[in-house]
Amino acid sequence: MMDPHGESFLGWPAPPGQERTEAQWTAIAGQVRHAANKLGDPLPLCMPGEPQQCGRSAQQHALAWAAELKARSHHLIESYAPSAEAGTYAAGALYKERLEALRTPRA
């Protein structure tokens, strides 16, 4: 069975000013898949133009692979934190701090 690629969000509109080309989404999807592959079993070669194309867009792949990367990262924290407290901190407060830093525009 093929992994879900966001079928429930079929036509995800881009926020204003954040439109990307299919080529840009393909590059992003490939980079995110590469990162996720480093943390677990290889993800399928099913993006547009690949040997096992699944018919979903590069944008759908980028978001699906990002969700996979987030899940694999969280699993890594749960599995290898030296204590439950350290895992809770890394997956909670530290994660939120890093996310907020990414959301804050740089000068």
Side-chain angles (χ1 to χ4, degrees):
M1 180 171 126
M2 181 59 70
D3 290 329
H5 292 28
E7 288 85 348
S8 60
F9 294 97
L10 291 174
W12 299 326
Q18 294 186 16
E19 291 79 14
R20 290 187 166 84
T21 66
E22 186 70 6
Q24 289 170 321
W25 279 117
T26 298
I28 292 167
Q31 292 166 352
V32 175
R33 179 177 62 191
H34 181 72
N37 284 343
K38 292 197 171 277
L39 297 180
D41 294 334
L43 295 168
L45 294 174
C46 61
M47 291 192 294
E50 292 183 335
Q52 300 147 351
Q53 290 188 77
C54 67
R56 293 167 181 102
S57 71
Q59 181 187 27
Q60 286 175 300
H61 282 89
L63 297 175
W65 296 156
E68 181 72 25
L69 179 60
K70 183 177 178 179
R72 289 180 184 202
S73 297
H74 194 97
H75 180 70
L76 181 73
I77 291 168
E78 289 177 341
S79 298
Y80 297 104
S83 66
E85 293 80 14
T88 298
Y89 171 74
L94 184 58
Y95 169 79
K96 289 177 185 174
E97 178 184 307
R98 302 296 169 113
L99 184 58
E100 188 57 38
L102 291 171
R103 290 176 174 159
T104 304
R106 296 182 196 156

